[in-house]
Amino acid sequence: MKPDETGLRGKPDPRALALALADAADEISLRTVLQDVRLETLSTADYNTFARALEQVNGAPDVRVAYLANFTLDLLPRFVTVQAAAEGLRTAAHVGGFGQHVQEVLDPESRLHRFEPDLIFLALSLERLHPELIATFAALTAAERRNLREAVVADLASWAAMTLERSSASLLISNFASPAHPLFGTADLKTDYGQTEFFLELNLDLLQRFKSDGRVRIFDTERLAARFGKDRVLDRKLFHLAKMDWSPPFLPFVAEELVRHIRAVRGMTRKCLVLDLDNTLWGGVVGEEGAAGVKIGNGDPISEAFAAFHHKLKALQTQGVLLAVCSKNNPADVAEVFESRPDVPLRMADFAAAEISWEPKHVGLRKIAQALNLGLESFVFLDDNPAEIELVRQLQPEVRAVLLPPDPAEYPGVLAGLKDFERAAVLSEDRAKTEQYRQNRQREQFQAAAGDLQSYLASLETELLVRRARLDDLPRVHQLFSKTNQFNVTTIRYGPADVERFATSDSHELLLASARDRFGDLGAIAVLLLVKEGDALFIDSLLMSCRAMGRGIETALLNYAKERLFALGASELRARYVPTPKNTPVETLFERHGFQLADASGGGEKLYVLEAHEAEPQDASWIRLLSDDAATGSQPHGR
Amino acid sequence: MDGDQSISRDLEANLRAVMADVLGVDAAEIDDGFARDVAPDWDSLNHLRLVTALEEGFGCAFTMAEVEAMVNFRVVRECVATQLQRP
C-alpha cells in the first residue's frame, strides 16, 4: 500500500470534540459527545487528544482502574479513558510498576493501595513469567508442560486470593492468547499436549477456577486477540524496544472490552430494548405491502437476515433483557403479521410492552416506560429511521437511541456492539424476566377488576420468605443494590466485596426476601440490611424491586425487623432516609410504620428511631410471612 | 541514510504538527535541533506515541534502528522521507 503522503486523514474536528468532552457536565452529555464517532476507526493521535482533554477535568472519577502487568501497558489507560467517556463515565488510572503485581499488593503502603482502585486489571505475559520454560517449550515433555500450566494457574489463584484479602477492588485477570502460529505447525494438534492444547487447558482452567467468584472476572484476551488478528497484536519492534506485548492499534480493542467489564461490575445494565417494526423487525412497510408482503422468515436472503436478527434478540431476552415494540402503524396490520405468519421467530408474547399507534416515538417510549414501571434511562431504542433516532436523542437523551445501518445483515453486529446489556452474571432469575412482566400485567388487570384494595391484596395470596442471604444469593443481592432506585431508602450501591462482608459478619444481618403469589413466583425481590450498633439495631438498607411494590410487602419486612429487635433484646430500631430524585415513594415510609423522626438535617435526609417498648407489628395479614429458622441467629455457610 | 532525504513543505508542516501535538509544544518551536534530551515532554512513553502517530499518519513502518535513531527533528524528518520513498 502506497504510504499516505498527506499526513493526518480528515475526521470530525477532534479539537471541538475534545473541548466538548472536557465541558460535559454529566453522564448523559459526556456520553452524547462521542455517540456518532466510530471509536474503532479513531487514530491513536485522536485518542490522545481526547484523553488529554478528559484528564484535565477535576472532580471525582466514576471508576478508579489500576493496571498491573509484566509488560509495558502504560499506553492503555488513555484508550480506556476515551472508551469510558463514550459510556458517560470518568475514570482515574494507576499504572503499577513493571512486573510489580505481587509487590504492589503485598506492600500496604504501595501506590496501588493508596490509589484505592475499584477495579484491578492484571495482564501477564507467559514468556516473562517463565522465560526459560517458554523458550524451550518445544523440548519440554508433556508432563513438564502440564506442570507449567498448573504452576501458572496456581500462581494466579494465589495472587487473586492475596489481592481479594487486601483490597476491596474487583479483579479483572487477563487470560493468555495462544500464539498466532502454532509451534509445531499443523502437527500441533496431533502432538501429545502440544501448544494449542496447553493454551486451551490453561484458559479453561482459569475460566473454571474463577467462575463462581463474584469479585474476579477473566478478561478474555485470547478471544479479543483472535477477533483483532493475532498477527497485529504483536508489534515486534515495540516488543523489543519497549517490552510492549500489545501493539498500539490493539489497545482500543482492549479498552472497549475493559469498559464492558466496568459496566458489568457496576451493574450499569439497561433493562429494555425497544424496537421499531418496519425495516427493523421485518423488511418493508406492513401498511403498504401487507402482512404477507413484508420480508421475514424463510424463503429469501433478506427475510432470513431479519429472522437471524430475531434469533439474536431472543438470545438477549434469555439474558434478562426485556423486548418492546414502538411502531407507527395500525395495530391490526401488525397483529396480522404475527398471527398469520408462522415463520416469524419473535411472537407478540415475547414483547413485554408494545405501543403501536401514530403518536410520535417519544410519546410511545414514555408510555412503554410507564407500563413497565421503568425509567427512560433503562431503555435502548433501535430504529432504521434517522429522523426518529434524532427525535428521541433530542427529547429523551437518557434513552440510548441507536440508528440501524441500511443492510439488515448488519443488524446482529449492531446488537453485538451494544455495551448496555453487559451484566455481572446471567442468573436464572433473568431468564424469566419477560414471564414475570407478563404476570405483572395479569396482576394489574386483576386489580382493575377487583373492587377494593384490601380484598384485592388478600386475593393475591402473597407469600414472603425472608432469610439470611447465603453465598449463592450474593450476586442477586448485589444486583438489587445496583439497580433499585425507587424503593430504596438510602441508595447505597454496595459492591461485591461489601455484600460478601455483610453476609459473613457477626454484626450484620443481610436478609433476602422472595415472594410468590397466586399468579406465580416473583423471585428474590427485597433486601433488608440490619446492623447491630451497640444496644441498637440499625436499618442500613431497605430496598425492593419495583415489580413487588404496592402490596404492602414493606410492612411485612418492617414487622420482621421489629421481630429481630425483640429477639436480639436491642433497645431501639434506627433508620435513615436519604432523598434522591427517584425515591420519593419511600419518603414517609418510616413515619407510616411508627418510627419517630429523630433528626432532619439539611438536604432532606432524615434519621428515625423506634424504641423497643413502642414497636408494634402492623397489620399485614394479607401477606403470609415465612421465615427460615436459620434467619434467627446462625451464620450462613462459609467458603 | 540512502535516497533523497527531502520532503515537500506541506509534508514537513504536517510532520511538525504531529510532533507538536504529541510532545505538547508549539509547532513553530520545532527546528532541526529540537531534540529528545532538551524537550521536557519527549520521554520514552511519548516517544512511543510519536512513533505510532507517525506510522499511522504517514502510513509507514519504521525499523527498530530508525526508532532508536530519531532523537531530534532532523533525523525524524529524514526517516519519514526514507520511508515514503520505499516502494
Side-chain angles (χ1 to χ4, degrees), chain A residues 94-402:
Chain A
H94 161 71
V95 180
F98 191 96
Q100 303 278 302
H101 55 286
V102 174
Q103 297 88 320
E104 290 223 17
V105 171
L106 281 181
D107 174 7
E109 303 296 314
S110 70
R111 281 172 42 229
L112 172 71
H113 289 301
R114 281 186 279 129
F115 177 69
E116 292 181 332
D118 298 308
L119 185 67
I120 299 177
F121 178 65
L122 177 71
L124 295 177
S125 140
L126 211 49
E127 204 168 342
R128 289 183 218 286
L129 283 178
H130 299 276
E132 279 169 32
L133 290 173
I134 296 297
T136 58
F137 192 88
L140 299 177
T141 64
E144 284 166 336
R145 293 178 199 152
R146 286 193 163 90
N147 288 341
L148 172 60
R149 183 203 89 227
E150 283 165 9
V152 171
V153 175
D155 284 344
L156 276 174
S158 73
W159 178 87
M162 184 178 80
T163 310
L164 288 174
E165 252 179 72
R166 289 166 172 74
S167 163
S168 58
S170 287
L171 310 184
L172 190 52
I173 299 179
S174 167
N175 65 11
F176 299 93
S178 59
H181 301 282
L183 199 48
F184 303 109
T186 54
D188 193 72
L189 300 183
K190 295 284 192 186
T191 306
D192 183 14
Y193 213 66
Q195 190 182 58
T196 305
E197 199 170 346
F198 170 85
F199 276 93
L200 283 171
E201 276 214 346
L202 174 59
N203 288 332
L204 181 60
D205 210 333
L206 287 174
L207 185 162
Q208 289 168 337
R209 184 72 63 113
F210 294 111
K211 184 189 283 202
S212 46
D213 192 322
R215 285 179 59 198
V216 182
R217 308 189 109 216
I218 295 292
F219 186 85
D220 199 349
T221 299
E222 162 61 39
R223 180 194 292 259
L224 211 56
R227 199 168 94 219
F228 179 73
K230 286 184 177 180
D231 281 325
R232 298 189 294 140
V233 169
L234 180 64
D235 177 331
R236 289 180 189 281
K237 72 168 174 294
L238 294 180
F239 177 80
H240 292 298
L241 283 172
K243 297 182 167 44
M244 274 182 70
D245 289 28
W246 291 348
S247 65
F250 183 49
L251 296 180
F253 273 70
V254 175
E256 201 241 18
E257 180 81 358
L258 219 153
V259 171
R260 285 177 180 276
H261 283 274
I262 289 176
R263 285 195 68 120
V265 165
R266 290 176 72 85
M268 286 173 65
T269 309
R270 288 187 188 245
K271 301 182 188 178
C272 181
L273 176 57
V274 184
L275 299 138
D276 174 45
L277 288 174
D278 294 321
N279 289 313
T280 295
L281 283 187
W282 53 63
V285 176
V286 65
E288 285 164 25
E289 289 151 71
V294 293
K295 290 190 178 300
I296 176 61
N298 310 312
D300 69 271
I302 292 180
S303 296
E304 287 173 13
F306 279 103
F309 183 49
H310 283 216
H311 286 120
K312 291 279 191 242
L313 291 167
K314 282 179 86 80
L316 261 186
Q317 193 187 42
T318 322
Q319 281 178 50
V321 178
L322 297 171
L323 300 180
V325 161
C326 182
S327 168
K328 285 183 182 161
N329 253 309
N330 291 324
D333 292 338
V334 172
E336 210 193 324
V337 175
F338 287 103
E339 281 157 26
S340 70
R341 294 185 62 158
D343 54 350
V344 183
L346 283 169
R347 316 305 305 166
M348 268 324 276
D350 288 316
F351 300 113
E355 278 299 311
I356 300 164
S357 73
W358 296 99
E359 289 180 310
K361 296 267 174 148
H362 72 288
V363 174
L365 283 171
R366 196 169 1 100
K367 289 189 175 174
I368 293 172
Q370 279 162 0
L372 297 177
N373 201 11
L374 293 173
L376 287 169
E377 71 285 349
S378 303
F379 285 46
V380 177
F381 173 56
L382 294 183
D383 199 311
D384 67 293
N385 185 336
E388 303 288 19
I389 294 297
E390 190 52 34
L391 173 80
V392 172
R393 280 185 177 180
Q394 288 205 17
L395 297 182
Q396 294 169 328
E398 321 88 287
V399 173
R400 166 93 75 170
V402 180

Side-chain angles (χ1 to χ4, degrees), chain A residues 521-586:
Chain A
D521 189 354
L522 287 112
I525 43 81
V527 172
L528 172 62
L529 177 59
L530 301 173
V531 187
K532 297 168 197 167
E533 286 182 347
D535 208 23
L537 190 61
F538 177 51
I539 298 176
D540 178 289
S541 297
L542 171 55
L543 42 107
M544 182 157 67
S545 175
C546 49
R547 69 172 181 269
M549 281 167 64
R551 62 174 81 200
I553 286 178
E554 60 273 21
T555 304
L557 286 172
L558 286 171
N559 285 347
Y560 185 89
K562 291 168 188 170
E563 286 299 310
R564 294 307 296 145
L565 174 71
F566 302 140
L568 292 168
S571 63
E572 65 188 25
L573 199 49
R574 293 185 193 151
R576 193 162 71 108
Y577 167 74
V578 177
T580 69
K582 297 254 170 63
N583 72 354
T584 20
V586 292

